[in-house]
Amino acid sequence: MEKTEMTGAQAVIACLRREQVPVVFGYPGGAVLDLYDALYQAKFPHILTGHEQGAVHAADGYARVTGRPGVCFATSGPGICNMVTGIATANMDSVPLVIISGQVASHLLGRDSFQEADVKHITAAITKRNFLVTEAQDIPRVLREAFATAVSGRPGPVSVDITKNAFQAKLNFAYPEEPAAPVATTGDASTIDQVVAALAQAERPLIMTGGGIVLSDTAPALRELVAQTQLPVVTTLMGKGALDDTAPTHLGLVGMHGSYAANQAVMQCDLLLALGCRFSDRVAGNVQHFAPHAKIVHFDIDPDELGKIIATDIAVAGDLRWSLPALADAARTGLPADRASRWQGWCTSLTQTHAAHPFACRELPGQISPAAIFAALAEHTDANTLVATDVGQHQIWAAQFYASRQPRHFLTSGGLGTMGYGLPAALGAQVARPDAQVVLITGDGSIMMNCQEFATLHKYGCAVKTIVLHNRVLGMVNQWQRMFYQGHSAESLLYDGPDLTAVARSMGVAARAVHTPDELAAGMDFLFTTDGPALLDVFIPEDENVYPMVPGGKRLDEMVLCD
């Protein structure tokens, strides 16, 4: 094995090259000056964001689009602490990241030194694994293990905290050829036989797609299975795009803001195939009454998820890259062709009879409805468009109204629900796919949380197109207050918010506001014909609600369908 003498900081850059990392996102500071000097000398590509939270969310967006670990740098203390929200966001949604932070010198640890924070303990609950590196010679081994850990098994973020003296000391660099022992990816083949037998007996089978299908890149196997069986499909927010939203058997989003057809299908099915799902509270609602007539089959790579929330009748533990193709192959010969046709017809009839639930908004004279915005957006996008969202009403409207045709083309913070995620995630997506069209859907509350990244878009020429659904309230908070808190709009009114077009223009991003339906088409034309990044600030009614809505603790068939 060839060895070369270099500093620990130079070794970090050498490791990134060996891992074929094309770019990092970050923000410098005292504890990482040696790392940034090594980066400068190596001319390694780097995106300087306006805030450390922007850097970690951008790395997250990059990772969701590419499937490769996103990498970000931060300095010690406040630098890495500013990344905690982004690390937790990635952890909840199983996104592979490698976060490299600086730390004070080893002899200063534990002394409340300037810009010291106990990163290993701070990040312990929100990472797959974390490391504190105090010796330069450990850097290659730790980073090799960090990258392997981030993508093996259930993906997730890994934190590597490196002391200043480790960056400065010299070592004989040799990159390990092999990481730690690989995670087992296959499971018990007999469980696949059990699933096929259950499918053969079921009269009302249903598939529920989760984010695991997207993360494992097994959407082709899912689509093959659906084409063979014609089984109805419902999707979680994180599973959006695993099956083409326009597919004939797709019933729509499931859960708190799911479609009438999807939620009723869950409540009536007698067999539920949950593929890479977590059964979060936003999906399951009242867990005691979730899919009450169904035998539950749960496919998941993480054995801790099996039976954790919903009791499982058949647990298929293992990587979907093994289990889903195996199921598709077995189903090809093991199922009768005309099985459950009556059930399929009933599900299809629900999508037609209840086409207005959801995904219908009020049409008020002189007012722009969210539905109209997404109808206008559809004229300027196609199956290759990448869409990122922030969190709130606009996020759910995007999930309801925007048809995703492919996996890894819809980026949103599902588990943690992080406002401020969207803009830097869209930046990361655009860096990953510079030739792709990237659209950000956000609200006037969310956009202010990381609006400094408009300057980053301008600096690097990232042509993200931003659409703000501007209702002058914290939309989802205010909806809950109107529905469940006697209309008490406690600190959810944004009437005195800034002129977002002025904010964007001040950072070099072209912007226009739209107030009436007659202006919408021209506004969309402006947005998509402008070179470089642009923003369209679209004003909508402040009291528009997202429907359907399943109130907390209710069954999925106890939907509120309209005002």
Short mmCIF file of all heavy atoms in Angstrom, two decimals, residues 42-65:
data_model
loop_
_atom_site.label_atom_id
_atom_site.label_comp_id
_atom_site.label_asym_id
_atom_site.label_seq_id
_atom_site.Cartn_x
_atom_site.Cartn_y
_atom_site.Cartn_z
N ALA A 42 -5.52 22.43 -2.63
CA ALA A 42 -5.90 21.33 -3.52
C ALA A 42 -6.91 21.75 -4.58
O ALA A 42 -7.23 20.95 -5.46
CB ALA A 42 -6.48 20.19 -2.68
N LYS A 43 -7.38 23.00 -4.48
CA LYS A 43 -8.42 23.49 -5.40
C LYS A 43 -9.64 22.55 -5.42
O LYS A 43 -10.20 22.25 -6.47
CB LYS A 43 -7.86 23.67 -6.81
CG LYS A 43 -6.78 24.74 -6.90
CD LYS A 43 -6.27 24.91 -8.32
CE LYS A 43 -5.32 26.09 -8.45
NZ LYS A 43 -4.14 26.02 -7.56
N PHE A 44 -10.02 22.09 -4.23
CA PHE A 44 -11.15 21.16 -4.13
C PHE A 44 -12.45 21.96 -4.20
O PHE A 44 -12.60 22.98 -3.51
CB PHE A 44 -11.10 20.39 -2.81
CG PHE A 44 -11.98 19.18 -2.79
CD1 PHE A 44 -11.50 17.94 -3.16
CD2 PHE A 44 -13.31 19.29 -2.42
CE1 PHE A 44 -12.32 16.82 -3.15
CE2 PHE A 44 -14.14 18.18 -2.41
CZ PHE A 44 -13.64 16.94 -2.78
N PRO A 45 -13.43 21.55 -5.01
CA PRO A 45 -14.68 22.30 -5.17
C PRO A 45 -15.44 22.45 -3.85
O PRO A 45 -15.63 21.47 -3.11
CB PRO A 45 -15.48 21.47 -6.17
CG PRO A 45 -14.44 20.71 -6.94
CD PRO A 45 -13.37 20.39 -5.94
N HIS A 46 -15.89 23.66 -3.56
CA HIS A 46 -16.55 23.97 -2.30
C HIS A 46 -17.62 25.02 -2.55
O HIS A 46 -17.41 25.97 -3.30
CB HIS A 46 -15.50 24.49 -1.30
CG HIS A 46 -16.07 24.90 0.04
ND1 HIS A 46 -16.60 26.15 0.26
CD2 HIS A 46 -16.17 24.22 1.21
CE1 HIS A 46 -17.01 26.22 1.53
NE2 HIS A 46 -16.76 25.07 2.11
N ILE A 47 -18.78 24.83 -1.92
CA ILE A 47 -19.86 25.81 -1.99
C ILE A 47 -19.94 26.50 -0.63
O ILE A 47 -20.23 25.85 0.39
CB ILE A 47 -21.21 25.16 -2.33
CG1 ILE A 47 -21.14 24.43 -3.67
CG2 ILE A 47 -22.33 26.20 -2.33
CD1 ILE A 47 -20.95 25.32 -4.87
N LEU A 48 -19.68 27.80 -0.60
CA LEU A 48 -19.78 28.58 0.63
C LEU A 48 -21.22 29.07 0.78
O LEU A 48 -21.69 29.91 0.02
CB LEU A 48 -18.83 29.78 0.58
CG LEU A 48 -18.93 30.75 1.76
CD1 LEU A 48 -18.51 30.07 3.06
CD2 LEU A 48 -18.08 32.00 1.50
N THR A 49 -21.92 28.50 1.75
CA THR A 49 -23.30 28.92 2.00
C THR A 49 -23.30 30.12 2.95
O THR A 49 -22.28 30.50 3.51
CB THR A 49 -24.11 27.77 2.61
OG1 THR A 49 -23.45 27.31 3.80
CG2 THR A 49 -24.25 26.63 1.62
N GLY A 50 -24.48 30.70 3.15
CA GLY A 50 -24.59 31.87 4.02
C GLY A 50 -24.71 31.52 5.48
O GLY A 50 -24.63 32.41 6.34
N HIS A 51 -24.90 30.26 5.79
CA HIS A 51 -25.11 29.81 7.17
C HIS A 51 -24.80 28.32 7.21
O HIS A 51 -25.01 27.60 6.23
CB HIS A 51 -26.57 30.06 7.57
CG HIS A 51 -26.88 29.91 9.03
ND1 HIS A 51 -27.01 28.68 9.63
CD2 HIS A 51 -27.11 30.84 9.99
CE1 HIS A 51 -27.30 28.86 10.92
NE2 HIS A 51 -27.37 30.16 11.16
N GLU A 52 -24.30 27.84 8.34
CA GLU A 52 -23.98 26.42 8.44
C GLU A 52 -25.22 25.54 8.25
O GLU A 52 -25.11 24.44 7.70
CB GLU A 52 -23.34 26.11 9.80
CG GLU A 52 -21.93 26.63 9.96
CD GLU A 52 -21.87 28.02 10.58
OE1 GLU A 52 -22.96 28.64 10.74
OE2 GLU A 52 -20.77 28.49 10.90
N GLN A 53 -26.40 25.99 8.70
CA GLN A 53 -27.60 25.19 8.47
C GLN A 53 -27.85 25.06 6.97
O GLN A 53 -28.28 24.01 6.49
CB GLN A 53 -28.82 25.79 9.17
CG GLN A 53 -30.02 24.87 9.09
CD GLN A 53 -31.25 25.42 9.80
OE1 GLN A 53 -32.34 25.44 9.23
NE2 GLN A 53 -31.09 25.86 11.03
N GLY A 54 -27.57 26.12 6.22
CA GLY A 54 -27.71 26.05 4.77
C GLY A 54 -26.79 25.01 4.18
O GLY A 54 -27.15 24.30 3.24
N ALA A 55 -25.58 24.88 4.73
CA ALA A 55 -24.61 23.92 4.19
C ALA A 55 -25.08 22.48 4.39
O ALA A 55 -25.00 21.65 3.48
CB ALA A 55 -23.24 24.13 4.85
N VAL A 56 -25.58 22.17 5.59
CA VAL A 56 -25.98 20.79 5.84
C VAL A 56 -27.26 20.44 5.07
O VAL A 56 -27.40 19.33 4.55
CB VAL A 56 -26.12 20.52 7.36
CG1 VAL A 56 -27.27 21.27 7.98
CG2 VAL A 56 -26.25 19.02 7.63
N HIS A 57 -28.20 21.38 4.95
CA HIS A 57 -29.40 21.11 4.15
C HIS A 57 -29.04 20.97 2.66
O HIS A 57 -29.66 20.17 1.95
CB HIS A 57 -30.42 22.23 4.31
CG HIS A 57 -31.13 22.23 5.64
ND1 HIS A 57 -31.45 21.09 6.31
CD2 HIS A 57 -31.61 23.26 6.39
CE1 HIS A 57 -32.09 21.40 7.44
NE2 HIS A 57 -32.19 22.71 7.51
N ALA A 58 -28.06 21.74 2.20
CA ALA A 58 -27.63 21.63 0.80
C ALA A 58 -27.00 20.26 0.55
O ALA A 58 -27.25 19.62 -0.48
CB ALA A 58 -26.66 22.75 0.45
N ALA A 59 -26.18 19.80 1.51
CA ALA A 59 -25.59 18.46 1.39
C ALA A 59 -26.69 17.40 1.39
O ALA A 59 -26.61 16.40 0.67
CB ALA A 59 -24.61 18.22 2.53
N ASP A 60 -27.74 17.63 2.17
CA ASP A 60 -28.89 16.73 2.21
C ASP A 60 -29.59 16.69 0.86
O ASP A 60 -29.91 15.61 0.33
CB ASP A 60 -29.83 17.21 3.31
CG ASP A 60 -31.12 16.41 3.42
OD1 ASP A 60 -31.89 16.38 2.44
OD2 ASP A 60 -31.38 15.84 4.50
N GLY A 61 -29.84 17.85 0.27
CA GLY A 61 -30.48 17.90 -1.05
C GLY A 61 -29.65 17.19 -2.10
O GLY A 61 -30.18 16.45 -2.94
N TYR A 62 -28.33 17.42 -2.05
CA TYR A 62 -27.42 16.73 -2.97
C TYR A 62 -27.55 15.21 -2.81
O TYR A 62 -27.64 14.47 -3.79
CB TYR A 62 -25.98 17.17 -2.69
CG TYR A 62 -24.93 16.39 -3.42
CD1 TYR A 62 -24.45 16.83 -4.65
CD2 TYR A 62 -24.42 15.19 -2.91
CE1 TYR A 62 -23.48 16.10 -5.34
CE2 TYR A 62 -23.47 14.46 -3.59
CZ TYR A 62 -23.00 14.92 -4.80
OH TYR A 62 -22.06 14.19 -5.49
N ALA A 63 -27.58 14.74 -1.55
CA ALA A 63 -27.63 13.30 -1.29
C ALA A 63 -28.95 12.69 -1.75
O ALA A 63 -28.98 11.58 -2.28
CB ALA A 63 -27.41 13.03 0.20
N ARG A 64 -30.07 13.39 -1.53
CA ARG A 64 -31.37 12.83 -1.93
C ARG A 64 -31.48 12.69 -3.44
O ARG A 64 -32.12 11.75 -3.93
CB ARG A 64 -32.49 13.71 -1.40
CG ARG A 64 -32.58 13.73 0.11
CD ARG A 64 -33.88 14.29 0.61
NE ARG A 64 -33.76 14.73 2.00
CZ ARG A 64 -34.71 14.61 2.91
NH1 ARG A 64 -35.87 14.07 2.58
NH2 ARG A 64 -34.54 15.05 4.14
N VAL A 65 -30.86 13.59 -4.17
CA VAL A 65 -30.93 13.54 -5.63
C VAL A 65 -30.00 12.47 -6.19
O VAL A 65 -30.35 11.75 -7.13
CB VAL A 65 -30.60 14.92 -6.23
CG1 VAL A 65 -30.36 14.83 -7.73
CG2 VAL A 65 -31.74 15.90 -5.95
#
